[in-house]
Amino acid sequence: MKVQWADLEPREGKYDFSAVDQQMQWFSERGLAATIQINGGKKPQWLYGRVPYYPSKLSHQIRDDQGSLMFWYPLHRDSYINLLKAFAAHLEAAPYRDHILGIRLNYNPFGTEHADPKIKADLSLSQWVMPEGVDRELVEAYSKPVVNQYLQAVLKEHIHLFGGKVRLFVRNNISKERLKPYIPQFENGTLSWYHTSSEVEPRYGSAETKYGLFYRYCRSGGTTAYAEPWASAWGHHTKITDDRWCSPPKWNYWRMLFDLHCGVSFIAVYGNDLGVAINGKYHYGDVDYSDGSTGHYQEEFDQAFKFAAKYAGYHASPETSPGAWIAFRENSTVLAKNDYSAQKRALKVFTNDYTFLMKRLPGDRSEGEGIINIGPDDRRFGAWARRLPPKESLSVEVDAAFAASLNGACINVVYLDDHAGSFTVHVAGETFRVKMSGSGEWKTETVALNSTRRSLWRRNPCISVCAGNAPVFLHMIEVTR
């Protein structure tokens, strides 16, 4: 849930948290948990009579007509910190405290998250409006040092007030300098990560650093992460439509596979996307989609959400995880252009398969680069895949702790049934032949791992797929209890 600073402090020092209470009570009564985020898109009007401001909006997140407050001015900083103190005290006695999933740290500089101007502007002090009573000795021009001082102060206060008391989600765009003192707290779970920009892969090369924080600190089990998508599966967010190179079912599904791969425990979704899983309909702007002759999205969205819900939070708990899987993929340049050059979209880290307690063993001759959008467009699987050439094999290894915890298991191989023929699956000394009919659909072949093979499976928790006389396109291998 999100609330605006302006609504929480309509008068200086007079706080009203009833909007938070009402929304959290609704979640609490239904046994649900929610994150809380204080936004700065709308700031208290009284600040414009006490704090210097630029007479235009320096970020699209700013909703105040007067313009952009000088957030590094001491009164703005202290007022925001005082709000946080009052909010922390309020939550101490809140009856819904156990239903707070976490507090999402917001710096609330220009708008909610922009500490640098998002438009070209002359930021010299002569351009700022100075309300009566402003202490001009405290007024400083915009610069990185003063901005960093503000950001550090807000971060420090959040950690002091909420750290260790309620889950505190820190946005993963933090600089290395601000992160360094708090690394131990991310390693021991005192602090958690979040972002609002999940996609099927990082939007541009440098964004790999942000996802890398999830992968480093969360996938290991050190801490947790919350992630919500940058936009809907159709690319919609506010008045912007992002580039999409695959169908909505594929985008929705693969975006959550990437979150799981990175160790995200709490996966958020757009309400409009969730609606597709409920009734097969999506309406936003000029898009008015309903299941029918052009597609069958409801089941695909529903199954994607159920898959994510099944696995979220188990990435570092192999002994209790419901399964393990690998989604085959290879890509070195981000496919969604979004006005970025190919050079900026070059990937160095997240170029390969998405994995969950399973990995592909090196040395096979499968192909993945450039294999995109295969199979039916209204199915979720084929955004990426790997092609296994004729007579070639591919092997994966399951996490040893997960494998040892199994008494028996089912192995699901998801493949494109694009020709008549066969391929084989080899596991624990057994061989299973999979017959193909050429239906053109994605199919799942399930084979059972008998408990009598348990000792052999423990010694060699590997699965191999061998193509027949024709290539095989593979989406996933999954092992479930």
Side-chain angles (χ1 to χ4, degrees):
M1 60 162 290
K2 300 176 182 177
V3 287
Q4 293 289 342
W5 182 0
D7 298 325
L8 300 181
E9 192 180 3
R11 291 181 296 157
E12 185 175 3
K14 303 298 181 181
Y15 306 108
D16 180 2
F17 300 117
S18 59
V20 177
D21 294 341
Q22 292 170 9
Q23 293 185 64
M24 285 304 305
Q25 186 65 29
W26 187 93
F27 287 111
S28 177
E29 290 172 353
R30 289 159 178 78
L32 302 174
T35 62
I36 302 176
Q37 176 171 307
I38 298 176
N39 282 359
K42 292 175 61 180
K43 295 183 178 179
Q45 288 299 298
W46 57 265
L47 280 173
Y48 285 91
R50 304 282 307 282
V51 175
Y53 62 92
Y54 195 84
S56 63
K57 300 178 181 180
L58 297 174
S59 165
H60 66 268
Q61 294 180 340
I62 296 174
R63 293 164 59 183
D64 296 319
D65 292 335
Q66 295 97 319
S68 311
L69 286 162
M70 183 180 284
F71 62 84
W72 60 93
Y73 183 70
L75 180 63
H76 179 284
R77 179 200 61 213
D78 295 344
S79 297
Y80 184 38
I81 288 176
N82 288 337
L83 169 69
L84 294 175
K85 290 178 179 178
F87 187 50
H90 181 77
L91 293 182
E92 285 287 343
Y96 50 77
R97 183 179 175 85
D98 291 342
H99 292 269
I100 301 173
L101 181 63
I103 303 296
R104 290 160 49 156
L105 189 157
N106 262 352
Y107 294 102
N108 289 331
F110 293 138
T112 296
E113 57 189 286
H114 295 154
D116 56 318
K118 295 303 174 183
I119 63 171
K120 291 184 178 180
D122 176 8
L123 297 183
S124 60
L125 290 179
S126 62
Q127 304 301 311
W128 294 76
V129 176
M130 301 288 174
E132 185 177 352
V134 165
D135 187 342
R136 293 180 178 270
E137 291 187 359
L138 299 178
V139 176
E140 296 184 78
Y142 177 90
S143 68
K144 287 188 176 181
V146 298
V147 167
N148 286 334
Q149 287 175 12
Y150 170 85
L151 298 177
Q152 185 64 26
V154 172
L155 172 62
K156 183 178 181 179
E157 198 63 37
H158 269 90
I159 294 172
H160 171 69
L161 293 171
F162 302 108
K165 302 173 185 177
V166 65
R167 188 179 287 110
L168 179 60
F169 291 110
V170 179
R171 195 181 291 268
N172 64 352
N173 62 353
I174 188 172
S175 69
K176 291 182 179 180
E177 292 74 20
R178 289 202 303 277
L179 168 62
K180 190 174 181 179
Y182 303 108
I183 287 177
Q185 290 168 279
F186 283 106
E187 291 177 335
N188 65 23
T190 302
L191 297 178
S192 298
W193 291 111
Y194 89 102
H195 74 182
T196 56
S197 52
S198 281
E199 300 192 275
V200 298
E201 56 186 344
R203 176 163 287 212
Y204 37 82
S206 59
E208 289 185 299
T209 301
K210 300 178 183 179
Y211 289 90
L213 292 174
F214 286 178
Y215 194 89
R216 174 181 175 183
Y217 293 99
C218 303
R219 184 168 161 126
S220 65
T223 191
T224 55
Y226 168 95
E228 65 182 52
W230 194 309
S232 75
W234 273 259
H236 298 133
H237 58 114
T238 60
K239 298 180 181 180
I240 301 170
T241 301
D242 287 341
D243 186 25
R244 290 289 183 264
W245 56 270
C246 62
S247 67
K250 294 175 182 175
W251 186 277
N252 179 64
Y253 173 61
W254 278 88
R255 168 251 153 169
M256 291 187 287
L257 292 182
F258 188 29
D259 279 346
L260 293 170
H261 172 76
C262 289
V264 173
S265 295
F266 309 107
I267 299 177
V269 300
Y270 269 42
N272 284 357
D273 290 342
L274 187 61
V276 181
I278 296 172
N279 56 29
K281 297 180 179 180
Y282 179 94
H283 177 74
Y284 192 98
D286 59 355
V287 175
D288 193 4
Y289 171 85
S290 295
D291 272 355
S293 58
T294 59
H296 302 84
Y297 289 0
Q298 182 175 3
E299 181 179 0
E300 298 301 308
F301 274 71
D302 178 63
Q303 291 301 312
F305 292 140
K306 288 178 177 176
F307 186 90
K310 175 182 176 180
Y311 283 106
Y314 285 100
H315 49 273
S317 302
E319 295 86 355
T320 56
S321 176
W325 52 264
I326 181 169
F328 296 111
R329 165 190 176 271
E330 186 176 343
N331 189 47
S332 57
T333 303
V334 178
L335 295 172
K337 296 181 179 179
N338 289 311
D339 297 326
Y340 293 103
S341 67
Q343 183 178 4
K344 288 186 177 180
R345 289 183 285 116
L347 296 173
K348 296 180 180 179
V349 179
F350 296 104
T351 59
N352 221 304
D353 309 315
Y354 293 158
T355 65
F356 196 98
L357 300 176
M358 189 183 296
K359 64 181 180 181
R360 182 164 55 92
L361 296 177
D364 69 64
R365 296 185 179 180
S366 65
E367 303 160 350
E369 189 75 43
I371 298 177
I372 60 173
N373 280 330
I374 66 170
D377 207 39
D378 61 352
R379 297 295 184 259
R380 64 189 183 277
F381 299 128
W384 285 287
R386 295 199 77 87
R387 177 184 180 274
L388 191 58
K391 302 296 184 181
E392 295 290 344
S393 63
L394 172 153
S395 297
V396 299
E397 183 179 49
V398 178
D399 177 89
F402 172 73
S405 71
L406 297 176
N407 290 318
C410 289
I411 300 169
N412 302 314
V413 180
V414 184
Y415 66 96
L416 184 63
D417 185 35
D418 62 339
H419 66 274
S422 66
F423 64 92
T424 55
V425 179
H426 307 266
V427 57
E430 293 188 272
T431 298
F432 303 88
R433 185 170 296 277
V434 181
K435 293 183 179 180
M436 303 171 66
S437 63
S439 66
E441 295 288 336
W442 286 100
K443 290 190 174 182
T444 301
E445 181 71 15
T446 300
V447 299
L449 177 65
N450 196 295
S451 59
T452 60
R453 296 273 178 171
R454 183 178 178 182
S455 60
L456 182 58
W457 168 254
R458 281 183 169 182
R459 291 197 301 271
N460 183 29
C462 296
I463 303 165
S464 297
V465 176
C466 184
N469 295 322
V472 178
F473 290 94
L474 297 172
H475 159 58
M476 176 177 284
I477 296 175
E478 178 189 25
V479 179
T480 61
R481 295 185 185 276

